[in-house]
Amino acid sequence: MTNQVTSIEQSKRLLELGVPAEKASMVWCPMYRFDVETKQFIHIGEYDLCMKHKAYTVIKEDIIPAFTVADLLGALPSHCRMLDGAWLNMEIVRWEDIWRLSYFQMASGSDEVLYGGAGREYYFLVQSTRLIDLLYGAVEWLLSKKCKLKI
């Protein structure tokens, strides 16, 4: 399941960039042990991946949102406009074990629409065996370029 959700570090970075925690479908829950000397529960430094539940709002300061593949894919725009006015298209393809995600602009006068066509100018292009890492990278890149997500 961890191949389908953002890591704790990735989740924290997305929150820093302004992705709302409410958009996460899962959470990283801290694991505790009871200390008999202090009679308190102590965080042991590990986290368990759990489904998001309304009861978690009670201890939300310790909960870290976990964004799923579906969460991030739903947030990515299929088209976006860059600050320089360029209109970009998104494409996700898979060849064997490798996923590839790109945002590209068609070169003026080009009617080439096939994947990897010579008429494309790539603004963002990343490959990975893990789809979650690909989507995370695209969200981080779009937000760094001041593009809007579908959230």
Side-chain angles (χ1 to χ4, degrees):
M1 188 65 178
T2 56
N3 286 337
Q4 298 177 22
V5 300
T6 52
S7 67
I8 292 172
E9 295 77 21
Q10 289 171 330
S11 295
K12 288 179 177 180
R13 177 68 178 139
L14 291 177
L15 294 172
E16 287 173 9
L17 291 171
V19 177
E22 298 79 35
K23 296 297 180 184
S25 298
M26 299 189 78
V27 292
W28 290 102
C29 297
M31 297 174 67
Y32 294 93
R33 71 170 174 78
F34 185 73
D35 185 356
V36 291
E37 291 180 18
T38 63
K39 298 188 184 345
Q40 294 181 352
F41 285 97
I42 299 173
H43 184 275
I44 63 171
E46 296 178 21
Y47 288 81
D48 195 17
L49 186 61
C50 304
M51 293 300 295
K52 190 172 170 180
H53 190 276
K54 289 184 181 191
Y56 292 135
T57 60
V58 175
I59 56 169
K60 69 180 181 180
E61 66 275 354
D62 293 333
I63 298 294
I64 301 169
F67 299 91
T68 65
V69 165
D71 297 335
L72 297 183
L73 190 55
L76 287 175
S78 59
H79 302 83
C80 65
R81 185 170 303 278
M82 302 298 291
L83 292 176
D84 66 3
W87 187 249
L88 304 183
N89 299 302
M90 179 186 66
E91 181 176 65
I92 300 175
V93 294
R94 183 177 183 202
W95 286 336
E96 297 181 12
D97 290 349
I98 304 295
W99 289 93
R100 181 175 173 167
L101 187 146
S102 62
Y103 276 95
F104 63 92
Q105 179 181 39
M106 296 303 293
S108 60
S110 172
D111 57 358
E112 176 68 53
V113 293
L114 297 175
Y115 171 76
R120 294 181 179 198
E121 179 182 347
Y122 289 96
Y123 280 64
F124 178 79
L125 177 65
V126 66
Q127 299 182 138
S128 179
T129 57
R130 290 173 28 107
L131 184 56
I132 191 69
D133 293 336
L134 208 70
L135 299 172
Y136 165 79
V139 168
E140 186 178 41
W141 179 78
L142 285 170
L143 292 174
S144 74
K145 298 297 182 188
K146 308 295 186 223
C147 292
K148 295 190 186 268
L149 300 178
K150 297 187 314 184
I151 51 175

